[in-house]
Amino acid sequence: QVQLVESGGGLVQAGGSLRLSCTASGRTFGRYAMGWFRQAPGKEREFIAAINWSGGSTNYGDSVKGRFTISSDNAKNTVYLQMNSLKPEDTAVYYCKFGLSVATMLDRGPYDYWGQGTQVTVSS
């Protein structure tokens, strides 16, 4: 089993920035992918970004393109989400996901693991 620990959430004003971190431990693979999702009250979980083990493949949801950047540190088994130009509509619980590839990040698979989520609140 893979355990995911998230940090970096909090309260910020509109236009501000936050950097989320997610560190994986336990049974990890030499090649894997990690991603970020978010869910606001009354809405379905939304895909934000994903990155593969080498950092050579990334994917972003349309709502955050140009504002958010995903990156990783393989030595630390950690993925980051740099969030800039935050808007009130970015307010949500952000979840880290462990998977096998960027291409299948939105699919359900036997090696999917989720963090418990971290709250991001953007005030106007």
Side-chain angles (χ1 to χ4, degrees), residues 22-108:
C22 176
T23 299
S25 62
R27 185 187 175 189
T28 60
F29 302 91
R31 297 179 63 186
Y32 61 92
M34 296 181 73
W36 290 95
F37 293 72
R38 69 186 182 189
Q39 188 166 22
K43 295 185 177 181
E44 295 184 353
R45 190 165 296 188
E46 177 188 12
F47 170 73
I48 298 301
I51 188 169
N52 72 344
W53 68 274
S54 69
S57 180
T58 59
N59 192 24
Y60 293 92
D62 290 339
S63 64
V64 303
K65 287 180 179 178
R67 298 190 298 123
F68 293 7
T69 302
I70 190 169
S71 61
S72 63
D73 185 335
N74 291 337
K76 297 180 179 179
N77 287 332
T78 298
V79 64
Y80 306 94
L81 184 68
Q82 179 66 47
M83 305 184 294
N84 298 325
S85 301
L86 284 163
K87 306 173 182 178
E89 49 262 44
D90 294 318
T91 296
V93 177
Y94 284 70
Y95 297 91
C96 178
K97 180 185 178 182
F98 175 98
L100 294 181
S101 70
V102 170
T104 60
M105 184 59 63
L106 290 112
D107 301 329
R108 180 181 294 181

